[in-house]
């Protein structure tokens, strides 16, 4: 018997996009519980604080009737967080071949550190393929329309950040 499976979907979510929301919805159907974990990538400069990123995620998922999702931030090694939460799976979205190398490297490193934790990749829907958080930030920076890619709350927060 496989038992209860808790999964962790980690990311920077800086900011959350509809691509991420799609992965969260699909993960919620596959696993008994999903923890959306807002982390820090030490190689990236985040524009929103982890509290803001969690808040944007919470508001994006409100009204979707997903009762097996939790949101948390973490600032430790991902595998340690996953172990601490007694989760068995790490979920990552795979958009294109360009994601593959980095994702593969991360999955192998995580497997090396924690052989019992499995990484599961969900293929991003074609409409989310061109979307990434940095692209959304860049479009917003130059005053472009990001409403196709992210929620109204994020759109407003980006406007405030860049237009003052
Ligand atoms: N839709 C839209 N965008 C998507 C997406 C989807 N379905 N799937 C991935 N992306 C984008 C993200 O928007 C992000 O875009 P950006 O680079 O323009 O910001 C990019 O793909 C991947 O970033 P993200 O998912 O945020 O992951 P990351 O590669 O920055 O890693 C952590 C973030 C928190 C998971 C990682 O840094 C981590 O594990 N940190 C903890 C420390 C640790 O354990 N390190 C060792 C790891 S081996």
């Amino acid at each position: 018997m496989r038992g209860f499976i808790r999964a962790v979907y980690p990311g920077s979510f800086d900011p959350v996009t509809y691509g991420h929301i799609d992965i969260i919805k699909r993960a919620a159907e596959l696993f008994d519980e999903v923890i959306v974990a807002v982390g820090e990538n030490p190689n990236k400069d985040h524009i929103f604080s982890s509290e803001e990123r969690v808040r944007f995620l919470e508001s994006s998922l409100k009204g979707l009737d997903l009762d097996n999702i939790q949101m948390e931030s973490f600032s430790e090694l991902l595998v340690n967080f996953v172990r601490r939460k007694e989760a068995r799976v790490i979920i990552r979205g795979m958009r294109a071949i360009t994601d593959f190398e980095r994702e593969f490297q991360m999955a192998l490193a995580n497997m090396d550190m924690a052989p019992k934790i499995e990484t599961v990749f969900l293929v991003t829907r074609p409409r989310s393929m061109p979307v990434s958080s940095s692209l959304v930030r860049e479009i917003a920076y130059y005053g472009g329309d990001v409403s196709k890619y992210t929620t109204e709350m994020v759109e407003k927060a980006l406007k405030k950040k860049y237009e003052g």
Side-chain angles (χ1 to χ4, degrees):
M1 209 178 78
R2 75 174 173 91
F4 181 95
I5 300 188
R6 182 176 291 126
V8 170
Y9 176 38
S12 309
F13 303 106
D14 188 35
V16 59
T17 68
Y18 288 135
H20 297 129
I21 294 169
D22 175 54
I23 300 281
I24 294 170
K25 282 199 241 171
R26 287 158 57 201
E29 292 201 359
L30 281 175
F31 297 102
D32 298 297
E33 190 176 289
V34 177
I35 301 174
V36 182
V38 176
E40 308 296 328
N41 180 338
N43 302 307
K44 287 182 180 173
D45 288 326
H46 300 301
I47 64 161
F48 292 113
S49 68
S50 59
E51 291 78 18
E52 286 174 306
R53 286 179 274 146
V54 169
R55 196 149 29 86
F56 296 153
L57 270 161
E58 277 169 352
S59 100
S60 310
L61 298 172
K62 220 186 268 164
L64 288 184
D65 198 24
L66 301 171
D67 56 7
N68 59 340
I69 306 264
Q70 288 178 30
M71 240 78 60
E72 281 197 41
S73 59
F74 72 103
S75 52
E76 63 190 297
L77 212 49
L78 175 60
V79 288
N80 288 348
F81 175 80
V82 174
R83 277 200 202 106
R84 204 156 54 75
K85 293 289 158 187
E86 297 179 349
R88 284 167 55 190
V89 172
I90 295 170
I91 299 161
R92 295 288 287 170
M94 185 78 82
R95 284 166 306 167
I97 195 75
T98 44
D99 284 343
F100 182 80
E101 204 164 313
R102 158 130 178 100
E103 291 300 335
F104 193 57
Q105 201 181 22
M106 275 173 55
L108 284 181
N110 287 330
M111 185 189 276
D112 202 35
M113 291 184 278
K116 287 195 176 148
I117 298 171
E118 295 287 354
T119 299
V120 171
F121 293 105
L122 295 184
V123 172
T124 302
R125 284 193 204 284
R127 65 168 178 269
S128 301
M129 272 186 59
V131 188
S132 74
S133 299
S134 50
L135 202 77
V136 166
R137 291 197 303 268
E138 191 176 324
I139 295 170
Y141 180 83
Y142 288 106
D145 178 9
V146 292
S147 61
K148 258 204 295 194
Y149 309 125
T150 190
T151 63
E152 208 180 319
M153 186 180 189
V154 170
E155 209 186 330
K156 281 189 184 145
L158 284 166
K159 256 202 185 113
K160 200 165 159 209
K161 179 130 299 204
Y162 291 134
E163 288 171 16

